[in-house]
């Protein structure tokens, strides 16, 4: 029995680490039942060896070291076997002991390979290896899909191309007349055509649902019209599901849990200290560590560009908004003071803890409505040059990362230096957009944690200030254009709030004004 | 956009809709996709609210009238066949439509007559087949908002009705409407071409 196991041990080391985990997880319950029914004396040894195999498998995944040297070491360190209690109690106790051992080895590994490096801000290169494997797999999958599908159906997937032929001529030309002409019955043609064009296709609605991918990335949720291609592809997909749900998800949930608890505990502890530079340094350390842990819990790979333009103290940082994760991504590289509403529940606990360690600006719901109060508090915050830069998302809502919508002018009226930041996610590895009408926060986080990874680029941009003779709206548009160009996103004049509320009547009045000028002229009526 | 694109099998009565409206299979798929994107709560039909949420339509001065045209006979919901039926009025007139003039078949929805009838409906608020002076005034008010005085608007409405009205009943019937627009290139002005 032992010889067979040793032989199978050797065979398993040649397989990739992922399959090691899978197989050892699968093999473990089978063998322990098998050994229980035979010799009882060898039970603790087999369970010890098996837990060693599991931990060795984990170690192999993370380190890619040979498993034999890890396996033999841990087998020695375990206690005496239980002999006197009845059979089922013994099994339960052994099961519990085993679970305890697995949990402890698991936590040790997590601590060693992920938490400690987060404190110091170093990376062991594990995620890079994972990403390389992932990219190769997805490329292979794309090639298989392209070989498999007929040519016509590939063209259907370009959702960003307009589907109707548009005539973008202005109202005057469309109404086929010169200025000052009178009303005709046929004027209604122009408006009805424009209206129906909007019904068939409009710029805004498509921004509030996830971006369609050109090629499938082996996630069920992005499976738009990709049919069965081959057995191998389906096998890879099944393997992907297993990896994501059984390996990555528990790891990520553990990390997220640790990250959030550390944040709450850490900031509460730091908050007890008196105000000093030590307190600031400690609160920065706590914030950065916890954010790094949380980012690793999502397998986030972030590239920061132009770090020399990172927002300074006393400034306002402005970025496009795709999901709540934007906050995590930005705070991993620097500390910001956040602005937002006070929530209840878990978010409220986190908010209250964070504000003890460093001054964030949280508003009560009633205070949010009073714009002058909000502006006053923010002005006070940035006037104090020692306080951290404020982080604001002027769109006010989550957009699907293909475009930038109207920036609300409130943030640009405060004064001070604006530091624009552009954030662009790579949808191939995981869709970060939070469709708040479709998913609540918990299901959104679960979706994030069962994606392959979150890959994004962050561009810091040179600071901007309001120029002479420029009002807040023009300044906001200028910053919006800069962010859109940098991030490669399209720019839309529409308000992100359109997904919930109706459009303002002022926009309709503009069209009505244009039309009236045409048929009435300068007060002359036929 | 849902997580699955439309397959032909998913559209109910695809064949009868195609025959009635004249849309190609590809166009119908695109419109079905769009219908489902607009149907935010996945009800299977569209309500006025769903259409009002389209920004570019809400700023259109005739937006409300256009939305009304989707809900004939006072209904509150429009299903996919009804949706496509209205859009079919704006299908460009192609040569094959004018060739196959089968007298037994009903007139295609995108014929000149039907396009004009759609425009007529936008004016005819109470659907009695006539555009009265009062209705003309109301539609004009929709188009200009508060920019024009009541007096000016009344003048415009009076002039327009007088020019078109032939039998002197103070209202514009569909025949009179058609006659006053006989020189207009209706087919080109009221067409939306869907790219394949």
């Amino acid at each position: 029995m032992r010889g067979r196991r040793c032989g199978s041990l050797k065979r398993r080391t040649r397989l990739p680490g992922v399959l090691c985990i899978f197989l050892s997880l699968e093999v473990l319950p089978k063998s322990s039942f098998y050994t229980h029914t035979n010799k009882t004396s060898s039970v603790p040894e087999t369970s010890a060896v098996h837990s060693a195999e599991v931990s060795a498998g984990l170690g192999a995944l993370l380190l890619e070291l040979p498993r034999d040297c890890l396996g033999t070491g841990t087998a020695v360190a375990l206690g005496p076997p239980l002999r006197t209690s009845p059979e089922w109690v013994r099994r339960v106790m052994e099961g519990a002991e085993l679970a305890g051992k697995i949990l402890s080895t698991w936590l040790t590994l997590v601590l060693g390979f992920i938490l400690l490096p987060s404190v110091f801000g170093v990376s062991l290169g594990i995620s890079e290896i994972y990403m390389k494997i992932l990219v190769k797999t997805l490329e292979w999958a794309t090639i298989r899909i392209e070989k498999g599908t007929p040519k016509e159906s590939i063209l259907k997937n370009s959702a960003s191309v307009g589907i109707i032929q548009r005539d973008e001529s202005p109202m005057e030309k469309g109404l086929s007349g010169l200025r000052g002409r009178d009303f005709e019955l046929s004027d209604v043609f122009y408006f009805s055509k424009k209206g129906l064009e909007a019904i068939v296709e409009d710029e805004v609605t498509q921004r509030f649902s996830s971006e369609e991918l050109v090629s499938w990335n082996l996630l069920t949720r992005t499976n738009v019209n990709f049919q069965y291609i081959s057995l191998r592809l389906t096998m890879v997909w099944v393997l992907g599901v297993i990896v994501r749900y059984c390996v990555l998800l528990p790891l990520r949930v553990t990390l997220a849990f640790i990250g959030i608890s550390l944040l709450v505990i850490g900031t509460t502890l730091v908050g007890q200290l008196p105000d000093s530079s030590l307190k600031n340094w400690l609160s920065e350390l706590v914030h950065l560590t916890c954010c790094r842990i949380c980012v690793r819990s999502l397998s986030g790979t972030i590239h920061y560009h132009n770090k020399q333009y990172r927002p300074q103290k006393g400034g306002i940082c402005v970025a496009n908004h795709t999901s709540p994760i934007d906050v995590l991504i930005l705070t991993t590289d620097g500390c910001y003071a956040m602005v937002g509403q006070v929530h209840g529940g878990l978010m409220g606990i986190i908010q209250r803890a964070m504000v003890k360690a460093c001054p964030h600006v949280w508003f009560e719901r009633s205070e949010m409505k009073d714009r002058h109060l909000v502006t006053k508090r923010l002005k006070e915050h940035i006037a104090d040059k020692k306080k951290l830069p404020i982080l604001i998302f002027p769109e006010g809502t989550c957009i699907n990362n293909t475009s930038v919508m109207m920036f609300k002018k409130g943030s640009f009226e405060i004064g001070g230096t604006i530091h624009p930041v552009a954030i662009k996610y790579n949808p191939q590895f995981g869709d970060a957009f939070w469709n708040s009408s479709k998913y609540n926060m918990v299901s959104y986080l679960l979706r994030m944690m069962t994606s392959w990874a979150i890959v994004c680029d962050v561009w810091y941009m040179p600071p901007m200030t309001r120029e002479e003779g420029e009002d807040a709206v023009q300044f906001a548009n200028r910053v919006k254009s800069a962010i859109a160009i940098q991030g490669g996103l399209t720019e839309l004049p529409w308000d992100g709030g359109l997904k919930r509320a109706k459009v303002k009547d002022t926009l309709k009045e503009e069209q009505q004004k244009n039309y009236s000028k045409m048929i009435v002229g300068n007060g002359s009526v036929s | 956009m849902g997580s699955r694109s439309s397959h032909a099998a998913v559209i109910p009565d695809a064949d009868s809709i195609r025959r009635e409206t004249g849309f190609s299979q590809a166009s119908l798929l695109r419109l079905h996709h769009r219908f489902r994107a607009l149907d935010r709560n996945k009800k299977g039909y569209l309500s006025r609210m769903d259409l009002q949420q389209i920004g570019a339509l809400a700023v259109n001065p005739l937006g409300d009238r256009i939305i009304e045209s989707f809900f004939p006979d006072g209904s509150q919901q429009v299903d996919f066949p009804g949706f496509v039926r209205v859009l079919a009025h704006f299908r460009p007139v192609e040569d094959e439509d004018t060739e196959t003039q089968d007298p037994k078949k009903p007139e295609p929805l995108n014929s000149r007559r039907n396009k004009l009838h759609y425009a007529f409906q936008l004016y005819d608020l109470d659907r009695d087949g006539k555009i009265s002076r009062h209705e003309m005034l109301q539609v004009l008010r929709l188009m200009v908002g508060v920019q024009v005085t009541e007096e000016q608007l009344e003048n415009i409405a009076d002039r327009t009705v007088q020019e078109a009205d032939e039998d002197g009943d103070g209202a514009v019937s569909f025949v009179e409407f058609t006659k006053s627009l006989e020189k207009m290139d209706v087919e080109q002005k009221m067409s939306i071409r869907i790219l394949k």
Side-chain angles (χ1 to χ4, degrees):
Chain A
M1 188 171 52
R2 194 174 291 230
R4 215 181 300 147
R5 250 183 290 111
C6 278
S8 54
L9 234 165
K10 288 212 187 66
R11 244 183 285 130
R12 258 179 269 147
T13 51
R14 290 199 208 104
L15 293 170
V18 170
L19 284 178
C20 284
I21 286 295
F22 179 61
L23 285 172
S24 51
L25 282 175
E26 193 196 1
V27 165
L28 174 63
K30 272 195 235 160
S31 322
S32 54
F33 282 131
Y34 173 76
T35 52
H36 274 301
T37 51
N38 291 327
K39 301 177 199 170
T40 50
S41 56
S42 61
V43 161
E45 288 162 22
T46 52
S47 60
V49 173
H50 274 293
S51 74
E53 281 173 11
V54 171
S55 58
L58 282 171
L61 169 69
L62 296 173
L63 273 182
E64 296 174 321
L65 289 174
R67 294 177 54 219
D68 307 84
C69 57
L70 281 176
T72 46
T74 49
V76 187
L78 299 160
L82 312 155
R83 280 174 213 273
T84 48
S85 339
E87 183 72 23
W88 67 270
V89 173
R90 215 179 319 157
R91 279 195 216 175
V92 165
M93 301 277 295
E94 277 145 20
E97 207 183 311
L98 192 58
K101 287 198 193 84
I102 295 176
L103 196 63
S104 58
T105 40
W106 172 261
L107 282 175
T108 326
L109 285 166
V110 166
L111 186 72
F113 291 116
I114 299 176
L115 294 180
L116 280 178
S118 308
V119 177
F120 301 109
V122 286
S123 166
L124 284 177
I126 298 164
S127 31
E128 273 90 20
I129 298 168
Y130 168 64
M131 292 302 292
K132 279 202 198 113
I133 299 174
L134 197 58
V135 166
K136 289 244 161 40
T137 317
L138 289 179
E139 274 172 12
W140 173 84
T142 313
I143 295 172
R144 301 285 314 181
I145 293 172
E146 274 169 13
K147 272 197 216 149
T149 51
K151 274 290 169 223
E152 305 92 56
S153 47
I154 295 179
L155 295 171
K156 245 196 285 185
N157 291 330
S158 51
S160 47
V161 176
I163 68 167
I164 52 180
Q165 198 173 27
R166 291 251 189 189
D167 181 19
E168 297 290 358
S169 52
M171 197 193 282
E172 287 87 4
K173 192 152 165 287
L175 287 165
S176 75
L178 312 153
R179 293 210 50 175
R181 70 186 257 311
D182 303 318
F183 167 72
E184 299 278 343
L185 279 172
S186 55
D187 286 347
V188 74
F189 291 167
Y190 171 79
F191 288 117
S192 57
K193 178 171 167 174
K194 282 274 165 254
L196 271 128
E197 276 176 353
I199 290 181
V200 176
E201 177 189 49
D202 82 303
E203 296 178 304
V204 174
T205 314
Q206 54 178 233
R207 310 293 172 182
F208 292 124
S209 57
S210 304
E211 196 180 349
E212 258 185 47
L213 290 174
V214 180
S215 73
W216 190 34
N217 64 348
L218 296 177
L219 292 174
T220 326
R221 61 191 72 132
T222 52
N223 189 358
V224 183
N225 198 28
F226 290 107
Q227 304 112 335
Y228 175 82
I229 305 288
S230 72
L231 182 65
R232 237 189 283 176
L233 197 65
T234 316
M235 287 301 295
V236 172
W237 174 73
V238 169
L239 186 65
V241 170
I242 295 170
V243 167
R244 280 186 294 124
Y245 281 86
C246 304
V247 176
L248 294 176
L249 182 63
L251 176 66
R252 288 173 179 169
V253 170
T254 320
L255 281 176
F257 191 65
I258 295 175
I260 295 179
S261 342
L262 268 181
L263 181 67
V264 174
I265 297 170
T267 46
T268 317
L269 286 177
V270 172
Q272 308 300 327
L273 296 174
D275 280 336
S276 64
S277 56
L278 176 68
K279 179 182 181 186
N280 291 339
W281 181 79
L282 272 178
S283 95
E284 258 194 55
L285 185 67
V286 168
H287 271 108
L288 284 175
T289 310
C290 298
C291 285
R292 285 192 199 121
I293 297 173
C294 288
V295 164
R296 277 170 212 236
S297 83
L298 294 167
S299 293
T301 308
I302 311 171
H303 298 287
Y304 295 97
H305 305 267
N306 304 335
K307 279 198 185 180
Q308 69 269 23
Y309 294 125
R310 202 186 303 183
Q312 306 296 323
K313 295 201 171 151
I316 304 176
C317 175
V318 152
N320 58 319
H321 201 29
T322 305
S323 88
I325 294 179
D326 291 343
V327 175
L328 266 182
I329 287 175
L330 287 177
T331 49
T332 316
D333 197 43
C335 277
Y336 297 91
M338 286 174 228
V339 178
Q341 258 183 25
V342 170
H343 290 98
L346 179 64
M347 277 299 296
I349 298 174
I350 298 176
Q351 282 177 334
R352 277 193 293 273
M354 280 166 71
V355 84
K356 287 189 190 125
C358 85
H360 297 285
V361 188
W362 303 122
F363 290 102
E364 299 289 331
R365 188 153 282 209
S366 49
E367 287 175 339
M368 286 292 284
K369 301 229 167 69
D370 184 354
R371 283 206 14 226
H372 292 292
L373 182 69
V374 172
T375 317
K376 187 157 105 42
R377 270 182 75 177
L378 292 175
K379 270 199 185 126
E380 280 167 10
H381 186 103
I382 59 171
D384 184 353
K385 290 291 170 198
K386 286 202 275 23
K387 291 203 177 154
L388 300 167
I390 306 179
L391 180 59
I392 294 186
F393 295 105
E395 280 166 318
T397 187
C398 294
I399 317 286
N400 79 343
N401 209 234
T402 54
S403 64
V404 180
M405 292 215 186
M406 188 176 96
F407 275 12
K408 296 199 179 6
K409 64 179 192 312
S411 347
F412 299 90
E413 287 173 333
I414 305 170
T417 336
I418 304 274
H419 300 266
V421 177
I423 306 175
K424 178 87 178 98
Y425 291 88
N426 186 341
Q428 194 69 17
F429 296 100
D431 175 35
F433 167 58
W434 182 32
N435 193 342
S436 53
S437 51
K438 225 171 154 189
Y439 305 107
N440 61 3
M441 180 61 98
V442 177
S443 53
Y444 168 71
L445 284 176
L446 276 176
R447 279 167 63 94
M448 284 296 101
M449 290 190 190
T450 52
S451 306
W452 294 117
I454 305 289
V455 178
C456 67
D457 288 289
V458 176
W459 286 276
Y460 293 111
M461 288 155 63
M464 293 171 143
T465 43
R466 190 153 73 159
E467 282 164 14
E468 289 290 324
E470 204 182 27
D471 71 346
V473 176
Q474 288 165 333
F475 182 39
N477 284 336
R478 193 159 61 93
V479 175
K480 185 178 79 156
S481 304
I483 291 182
I485 293 171
Q486 179 65 271
L489 308 160
T490 55
E491 218 189 303
L492 292 179
W494 297 100
D495 184 355
L498 272 182
K499 74 172 167 182
R500 274 183 220 104
K502 286 168 69 165
V503 78
K504 288 205 184 77
D505 287 329
T506 43
L507 290 170
K508 194 195 260 200
E509 277 169 20
E510 259 194 62
Q511 291 234 347
Q512 287 170 331
K513 228 191 269 186
N514 281 344
Y515 182 64
S516 318
K517 275 198 209 127
M518 287 187 56
I519 61 169
V520 172
N522 297 317
S524 59
V525 179
S526 67
Chain B
M1 288 180 232
S3 61
R4 303 228 176 278
S5 79
S6 318
H7 298 276
V10 175
I11 307 175
D13 312 318
D15 284 331
S16 67
I17 298 176
R18 235 183 330 160
R19 255 175 295 150
E20 194 186 344
T21 59
F23 278 122
S24 68
Q25 184 77 335
S27 302
L28 218 56
L29 278 176
R30 285 224 177 269
L31 290 175
H32 190 70
H33 199 99
R34 176 65 173 166
F35 180 82
R36 283 174 352 157
L38 291 172
D39 180 13
R40 281 153 208 259
N41 302 330
K42 305 278 170 277
K43 306 184 291 293
Y45 57 84
L46 293 177
S47 64
R48 284 184 177 78
M49 264 277 279
D50 290 320
L51 292 172
Q52 279 162 354
Q53 298 237 304
I54 304 174
L57 184 62
V59 302
N60 189 312
L62 284 179
D64 287 332
R65 292 301 304 149
I66 296 171
I67 293 175
E68 260 324 296
S69 71
F70 281 89
F71 301 93
D73 318 320
S75 58
Q76 300 299 321
Q77 310 169 355
V78 56
D79 56 3
F80 181 64
F83 180 70
V84 181
R85 227 170 271 136
V86 174
L87 291 177
H89 286 105
F90 283 77
R91 193 166 68 83
V93 176
E94 268 134 48
D95 296 323
E96 65 234 24
D97 295 321
T98 48
E99 274 166 23
T100 56
Q101 277 293 337
D102 188 354
K104 271 181 283 193
K105 271 205 212 145
E107 207 175 332
L109 283 169
N110 66 336
S111 69
R112 184 193 166 87
R113 188 171 176 280
N114 278 327
K115 284 186 200 281
L116 282 168
H117 189 78
Y118 183 79
F120 184 79
Q121 265 186 327
L122 291 177
Y123 284 109
D124 187 10
L125 296 165
D126 56 6
R127 298 198 188 101
D128 63 352
K130 285 185 183 305
I131 308 175
S132 68
R133 179 180 167 280
H134 184 68
E135 287 171 340
M136 179 70 69
L137 207 63
Q138 284 187 302
V139 176
L140 273 170
R141 181 54 72 192
L142 280 177
M143 294 210 271
V144 303
V146 299
Q147 308 296 328
V148 176
T149 66
E150 188 69 26
E151 202 188 315
Q152 285 172 324
L153 221 55
E154 280 183 14
N155 286 335
I156 297 174
D158 284 332
R159 178 188 61 81
T160 316
V161 173
Q162 271 168 14
E163 274 178 8
D165 188 16
E166 289 183 349
D167 57 8
D169 60 354
V172 182
S173 70
F174 182 55
V175 174
E176 291 162 351
F177 184 76
T178 315
K179 192 122 177 285
S180 73
L181 292 172
E182 62 191 350
K183 294 207 185 61
M184 181 74 48
D185 184 6
V186 176
E187 288 87 340
Q188 194 263 324
K189 281 196 182 301
M190 283 188 60
S191 291
I192 299 174
R193 179 171 300 279
I194 300 182
L195 301 168
K196 299 277 181 282

